[in-house]
Amino acid sequence: MSTSTHVLSTMPNSLAVDVAIIGAGPSGAIAASLLHQQGKRVLVLEKQHFPRFSIGESLLPCCMQFIEEAGMLEALNAAGFQHKNGAAFRRNGTYTTFDFTDKFTPGPGTTFQVQRASFDKLLADTAQSQGVSIRYGETVEAIDLTQNPRLTVRNEAGELYQIDAKFVLDASGFGRVLPRLLDLESPSCLPSRSAIFTHVEDNISDPSFDRNKILISVHPKHKDIWYWLIPFSHGRCSLGVVARPELLAHLEGTLEQQLLHMISEEPTLKVLLANAKVVQECATLKGYSANVSRLATDKFALLGNAGEFLDPVFSSGVTIAMQSASMAARCLTKQLNGEMVDWQADYSAPLMQGVNTFRTYVQAWYDGRFQEVIFYENPNHRIKQMISSILAGYAWDTTNPFVKDSERRLNMVVELCKNNMPIPELEEV
């Protein structure tokens, strides 16, 4: 597919656009599509070539509304990805599930588990088919915000050229281009953790294994070590383990040997994956949690992981990326149309409402509080629906008490679970 449209058919020393977007992953493709729908001149700059490997394969149902908003739902539904309707959790022999169709918040209750290489390419290709211009193999070297943003870009031939834009969206994910160039990096409040992961030909023969759900398993001795198993179509899975770096430091051998050793320590996974074959080189991600001092100004905004990445445990990364793309596109359309936009009040604060909700449950997962709720034997159905909504990605629904007042509500339920007390209706909590 061509990587340019009629607006940008040549490679001048400089060019002008309404919006320059750094990165063609999910947030970049969604934002570009939404802005293109509004008649804005958009150019996407992507350092790599697609398809390319990326981690984060288990989507949340909340994503589907943004994919539909961008006109990409038909292409996604036809792609043959693995259906997903919930999440399963296992700890020391206890198994429980959350059905995302049985939730508090209206909206889609199913989604897909995807190989990100083909998923990201699908979104980018669909954006291009709509008329969005994407240039692959292009690296943003510098940005000047003295007046309107001016980007210095290096193409694959090593040549530099400039882009004058009215606004820049950073959708570069873990590349975090603008945080690096503008010195926006800020320490995360979450402890450092590491992940080792790969793809396997799973050869799972257990008929009770539910391929429609991500499986999250907890280490039998260390509650803050957990494993993901994300089934794909065609008999493959994404497989990974997450732990504090010091708990993995004693492991010997290659990354593959380290991962397989950790899998052997979780009895159910060991049996389930007895015939699995690694089909992709194992990789590691260390100290992945990240934050920034500022998410947006009237000249730029950070989307998804370029702004903040929490943790992979509840697969929130792509959801935050798409949510931020949709919110930023609405704000930016207003600004480009001459309306006043307060980027802190209209974008950063509402985006962080959901991010902070996810943060509450991520922190509570690792300290064990949320695990007490997830594995409670006699849950209140209405409260489980509210938690299911958050696990399905609806972390911005402030009509949900476990979003609006997440820490207090969670702690109340945790105390009841710890004392093995029946959980009453929410009005009594």
Side-chain angles (χ1 to χ4, degrees):
M1 179 175 291
S2 170
T3 59
S4 62
T5 65
H6 63 286
V7 178
L8 302 163
S9 57
T10 61
M11 181 68 75
N13 292 328
S14 65
L15 55 87
V17 297
D18 291 325
V19 185
I21 300 178
I22 307 171
S27 62
I30 294 289
S33 174
L34 296 176
L35 290 165
H36 182 77
Q37 289 176 16
Q38 299 301 316
K40 309 308 176 187
R41 297 174 302 156
V42 180
L43 173 61
V44 182
L45 303 166
E46 170 55 52
K47 183 176 182 178
Q48 297 178 291
H49 285 271
F50 286 13
R52 54 91 176 96
F53 177 81
S54 182
I55 199 66
E57 300 100 340
S58 194
L59 305 183
L60 301 183
C62 182
C63 294
M64 302 300 282
Q65 59 192 4
F66 305 119
I67 293 169
E68 183 174 18
E69 183 184 10
M72 300 176 176
L73 187 57
E74 182 178 355
L76 178 61
N77 285 335
F81 291 121
Q82 171 65 48
H83 180 77
K84 176 183 176 181
N85 61 18
F89 296 85
R90 188 185 300 276
R91 185 182 69 178
N92 288 329
T94 300
Y95 178 82
T96 189
T97 63
F98 284 80
D99 179 355
F100 291 160
T101 66
D102 185 16
K103 57 182 173 50
F104 174 83
T105 305
T110 62
T111 185
F112 298 99
Q113 296 175 152
V114 301
Q115 292 97 326
R116 284 286 302 278
S118 52
F119 173 73
D120 290 9
K121 187 175 189 302
L122 173 73
L123 297 189
D125 286 352
T126 305
Q128 283 186 304
S129 72
Q130 296 170 348
V132 171
S133 296
I134 302 178
R135 289 182 171 177
Y136 292 97
E138 308 246 326
T139 304
V140 175
E141 299 278 349
I143 183 170
D144 182 355
L145 297 177
T146 305
Q147 298 181 13
N148 279 344
R150 170 170 285 185
L151 297 175
T152 300
V153 182
R154 186 179 301 277
N155 65 22
E156 285 194 295
E159 302 164 335
L160 294 176
Y161 70 99
Q162 293 182 325
I163 297 174
D164 290 315
K166 297 176 182 176
F167 201 90
V168 177
L169 292 175
D170 186 351
S172 61
F174 289 118
R176 297 170 66 79
V177 172
L178 290 192
R180 176 170 43 82
L181 293 177
L182 298 176
D183 195 24
L184 301 174
E185 299 279 8
S186 177
S188 172
C189 65
L190 298 173
S192 179
R193 294 187 176 88
S194 298
I196 306 174
F197 51 88
T198 189
H199 286 180
V200 298
E201 193 80 40
D202 59 77
N203 294 310
I204 295 174
S205 58
D206 185 345
S208 68
F209 179 63
D210 188 351
R211 301 195 73 90
N212 294 318
K213 293 178 176 65
I214 180 176
L215 174 61
I216 295 175
S217 303
V218 182
H219 190 279
K221 294 182 179 179
H222 303 282
K223 66 183 179 183
D224 60 344
I225 296 179
W226 64 276
Y227 310 81
W228 76 72
L229 188 64
I230 303 171
F232 300 138
S233 54
H234 312 305
R236 292 192 174 188
C237 283
S238 174
L239 172 66
V241 62
V242 174
R244 284 176 284 134
E246 60 268 25
L247 294 178
L248 298 176
H250 71 282
L251 299 177
E252 299 178 350
T254 64
L255 284 177
E256 180 176 329
Q257 290 169 331
Q258 293 176 28
L259 176 59
L260 294 179
H261 173 80
M262 292 302 298
I263 296 300
S264 72
E265 293 189 351
E266 205 295 303
T268 302
L269 278 181
K270 180 180 179 180
V271 173
L272 201 62
L273 297 171
N275 299 313
K277 296 180 180 179
V278 174
V279 294
Q280 180 165 306
E281 183 178 0
C282 287
T284 186
L285 194 59
K286 299 180 180 179
Y288 47 71
S289 297
N291 202 350
V292 290
S293 58
R294 192 165 194 175
L295 279 173
T297 70
D298 61 354
K299 295 182 179 181
F300 71 85
L302 310 180
L303 307 183
N305 293 349
E308 179 159 6
F309 181 71
L310 296 173
D311 192 272
V313 64
F314 302 127
S315 306
S316 62
V318 175
T319 299
I320 293 172
M322 291 187 178
Q323 176 79 40
S324 64
S326 178
M327 293 173 65
R330 286 197 299 271
C331 290
L332 186 48
T333 297
K334 290 181 180 179
Q335 179 169 305
L336 294 174
N337 288 343
E339 300 178 45
M340 290 296 297
V341 174
D342 181 334
W343 281 91
Q344 174 59 32
D346 299 336
Y347 174 73
S348 299
L351 177 62
M352 290 306 297
Q353 165 74 56
V355 173
N356 287 331
T357 297
F358 279 126
R359 191 195 320 276
T360 295
Y361 295 95
V362 167
Q363 291 174 324
W365 169 265
Y366 283 105
D367 66 31
R369 288 176 296 146
F370 194 34
Q371 292 188 31
E372 293 294 327
V373 175
I374 285 177
F375 292 105
Y376 192 59
E377 293 182 358
N378 188 31
N380 176 285
H381 182 248
R382 187 62 169 163
I383 291 177
K384 187 169 183 177
Q385 287 179 319
M386 294 175 180
I387 293 173
S388 184
S389 287
I390 295 167
L391 295 177
Y394 295 95
W396 289 264
D397 176 16
T398 54
T399 68
N400 184 345
F402 284 83
V403 170
K404 185 177 181 180
D405 194 11
S406 58
E407 188 74 24
R408 186 176 71 87
R409 295 287 188 183
L410 175 62
N411 284 336
M412 286 181 175
V413 174
V414 167
E415 286 305 310
L416 294 171
C417 293
K418 282 183 177 179
N419 294 310
N420 200 31
M421 298 172 62
I423 298 177
E425 294 301 319
L426 186 67
E427 290 76 12
E428 303 173 38
V429 175

